[in-house]
């Protein structure tokens, strides 16, 4: 995915370093990402999530807060309030140069900052927190044995994740004044809370407090097995998958080849390796992001349907839709159709009606259940209609596949 690097001015007048991860096609929408405390925009979790979202069509802006990474300024002069203000300025910059962010994403203390900033970013329709504390002051637990020294001396260097950071008295005073749950209660945006049950840095009870304080629509996703920093790239990939699927309904429709008119030419299906595992693929069907994979028994990780699963799903969906159209046209009392399918290989000699008599053949078993007060004749006719669905006809007719190398 292409990444555009630039700077914008923060609230303190310093230049803040930013990266905008872009899809290879026109973005479906834009997101703003706030990194964890003392981390920086290039921390593995932030970068992996942003790149994965870009692969699904969502552009992501991430930047270094004051005094971190490649941004100017002194970290000792930054506060939670200045981080919130910088997030608002980042959203403003995105609005002026591209398009305002529709989704706000925050990791750890960045999640708390996103919740506090959301009310000042009116264009945003959805907010995502990942391992966020319900009280910004929670972060002081990382250096609780030095708080008295900070109060006494005004500024003290503390060790966080093996690196020294200056923490000031102003930082402590500022963070103590924020009543985050008041912001959450007045959020008026869709909220997705993601948290690992075994997070030993920010406990799962923080997610509970945020969830209870928030109004609907709100959702919670448990990141079972993940650690606080999402160091396993599969966890970051999963977070991106969930955000893309959940956030798609909060993105404005894009007038492009991804959202064609009903009468337009068929839209493209794009399949691209994620490289998160041996077989995992990103599948983009217009604006709809999906994952494909192989079962564990076949060497995959079973993170999505397999290729034949998609074939069966297409046939099943087409079968049900075709029957529904016929039932409505004929005013039949068909309440619901359920199609169950299975793919297997059989010996050609076992198929009496098949032209091929040697080797193996593909067989799809399709079982159709119909609910409703249908008589025997109506059921018989609907079963005949099932065989007339376009996908069924395609699979049972001669198919020409034209393959060429991309330019």
């Amino acid at each position: 995915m292409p990444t555009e690097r630039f700077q914008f001015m923060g609230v303190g007048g310093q230049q803040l370093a930013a990266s905008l991860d872009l899809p290879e096609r026109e973005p479906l929408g834009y997101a703003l990402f706030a990194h964890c405390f003392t981390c920086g925009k290039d921390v593995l979790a932030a970068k992996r999530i942003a790149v994965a979202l870009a692969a699904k069509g969502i552009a992501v802006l991430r930047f270094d807060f004051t005094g971190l990474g490649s941004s100017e300024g002194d970290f000792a002069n930054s506060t939670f309030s200045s981080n919130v203000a910088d997030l608002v300025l980042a959203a403003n910059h995105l609005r002026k140069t591209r398009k305002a962010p529709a989704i706000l994403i925050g990791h750890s203390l960045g999640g708390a900052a996103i919740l506090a900033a959301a009310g000042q970013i009116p264009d945003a329709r959805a907010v995502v927190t990942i391992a966020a504390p319900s009280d910004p002051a929670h972060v002081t637990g990382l250096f609780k044995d030095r708080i008295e020294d900070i109060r006494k001396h005004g500024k003290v260097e503390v060790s966080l994740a093996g690196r020294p950071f200056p923490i000031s008295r102003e930082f402590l005073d500022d963070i103590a004044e924020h009543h985050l749950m008041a912001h959450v209660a007045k959020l008026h945006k869709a909220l997705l809370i993601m948290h690992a049950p075994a997070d030993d840095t920010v406990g799962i009870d923080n997610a509970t407090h945020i969830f209870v304080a928030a109004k609907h629509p709100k959702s919670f996703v448990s990141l079972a097995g993940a650690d606080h920093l999402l160091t396993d790239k599969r966890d970051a990939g999963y977070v991106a998958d969930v955000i893309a699927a959940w956030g798609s309904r909060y993105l404005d429709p894009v007038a492009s080849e991804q959202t064609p008119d009903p009468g337009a030419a068929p839209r493209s299906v794009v399949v691209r390796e994620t490289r998160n595992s041996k077989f995992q693929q990103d599948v983009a069907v217009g604006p709809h992001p999906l994952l494909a994979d192989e079962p564990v028994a076949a060497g995959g990780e079973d993170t999505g349907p397999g290729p034949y699963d998609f074939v069966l799903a297409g046939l099943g969906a087409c079968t049900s839709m075709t029957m529904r159209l016929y039932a409505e046209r004929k005013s039949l009392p068909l309440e619901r159709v359920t199609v169950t399918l299975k793919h297997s290989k059989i010996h050609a000699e076992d198929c009496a009606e098949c032209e091929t008599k040697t080797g193996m053949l593909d067989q799809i078993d399709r079982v159709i259940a119909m609910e409703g007060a249908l008589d025997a004749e109506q059921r018989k006719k609907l079963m005949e209609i099932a065989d007339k669905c376009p996908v069924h006809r395609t699979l049972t007719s001669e198919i020409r596949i034209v393959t060429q190398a991309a330019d």
Side-chain angles (χ1 to χ4, degrees), residues 69-100:
S70 300
S71 286
E72 296 178 349
D74 185 352
F75 179 79
N77 295 330
S78 67
T79 63
F80 184 76
S81 292
S82 69
N83 288 347
V84 171
D86 284 339
L87 283 168
V88 175
L89 290 177
N92 291 344
H93 180 85
L94 199 52
R95 185 185 300 107
K96 292 175 183 176
T97 58
R98 295 278 184 159
K99 186 177 181 181

Side-chain angles (χ1 to χ4, degrees), residues 22 45 53 64-65 80 148-149 151 166 170 191 200 257 266 270-271 278 302 311 319 330 355:
L22 292 161
L53 286 174
D64 292 321
F65 285 120
F80 184 76
E148 188 174 325
D149 290 338
R151 292 282 183 201
E170 288 74 22
L191 176 62
D200 56 5
E257 63 178 4
V270 180
V271 181
K278 182 177 180 180
D302 204 22
V311 174
T319 300
K330 298 296 184 179
E355 294 182 7

Side-chain angles (χ1 to χ4, degrees), residues 184-400:
V184 174
K186 298 183 294 184
L187 191 59
H188 301 304
K189 302 179 191 293
L191 176 62
L192 171 62
I193 302 164
M194 309 184 80
H195 214 111
D199 191 329
D200 56 5
T201 302
V202 178
I204 189 69
D205 57 310
N206 287 269
T208 301
H209 295 324
I210 296 172
F211 189 86
V212 170
K215 305 293 191 300
H216 283 291
K218 56 184 176 180
S219 304
F220 174 77
V221 172
S222 176
L223 303 178
D227 59 21
H228 181 70
L229 292 178
L230 303 180
T231 51
D232 189 326
K233 69 178 183 180
R234 292 173 297 182
D235 293 325
Y238 174 71
V239 166
D241 292 340
V242 173
I243 293 174
W246 174 85
S248 62
R249 66 174 56 197
Y250 303 108
L251 300 176
D252 293 328
V254 179
S256 67
E257 63 178 4
Q258 279 78 37
T259 54
D261 295 330
R267 59 190 176 189
S268 296
V269 174
V270 180
V271 181
R272 180 184 288 108
E273 287 185 300
T274 67
R275 304 306 297 155
N276 289 331
S277 62
K278 182 177 180 180
F279 292 123
Q280 191 185 67
Q281 309 286 320
D282 268 324
V283 181
V285 184
H288 308 295
L290 303 166
L291 275 182
D293 204 341
E294 287 283 12
V296 175
E301 296 187 0
D302 204 22
T303 59
Y308 278 106
D309 296 329
F310 279 105
V311 174
L312 296 183
L315 176 59
C318 182
T319 300
S320 181
M321 292 174 184
T322 302
M323 294 172 70
R324 172 56 55 199
L325 286 172
Y326 180 83
E328 290 187 354
R329 188 165 63 246
K330 298 296 184 179
S331 299
L332 302 182
L334 177 64
E335 294 180 2
R336 177 175 294 168
V337 177
T338 302
V339 186
T340 304
L341 305 102
K342 182 177 66 175
H343 170 260
S344 60
K345 296 280 189 179
I346 63 169
H347 291 282
E349 60 189 26
D350 295 333
C351 180
E353 67 272 22
C354 297
E355 294 182 7
T356 303
K357 297 302 179 185
T358 59
M360 304 295 289
L361 294 175
D362 288 279
Q363 176 169 304
I364 295 177
D365 293 294
R366 176 174 55 178
V367 178
I368 303 173
M370 292 170 277
E371 300 176 30
L374 299 160
D375 60 33
E377 186 61 31
Q378 291 170 333
R379 289 178 179 273
K380 179 182 177 182
K381 186 60 181 178
L382 283 166
M383 289 297 289
E384 293 174 359
I385 292 298
D387 285 343
K388 296 181 179 181
C389 98
V391 173
H392 180 112
R393 289 179 171 178
T394 297
L395 292 174
T396 54
S397 65
E398 183 177 356
I399 301 174
R400 179 170 178 251

Side-chain angles (χ1 to χ4, degrees), residues 5-7 14-19 35-43 62-76 78 83 163-166:
R5 300 187 184 279
F6 57 91
Q7 292 182 324
Q14 301 92 353
Q15 291 295 317
L16 304 183
S19 295
H35 61 72
C36 51
F37 184 55
T38 73
C39 293
K41 70 180 186 307
D42 294 320
V43 67
R62 49 194 169 93
F63 68 96
D64 292 321
F65 285 120
T66 300
L68 293 173
S70 300
S71 286
E72 296 178 349
D74 185 352
F75 179 79
S78 67
N83 288 347
R163 293 185 296 158
F165 289 93

Side-chain angles (χ1 to χ4, degrees), residues 171-184:
F171 178 87
L172 297 180
D173 292 340
D174 176 82
I175 211 165
E177 294 175 357
H178 283 271
H179 304 289
L180 191 60
M181 292 304 96
H183 291 289
V184 174

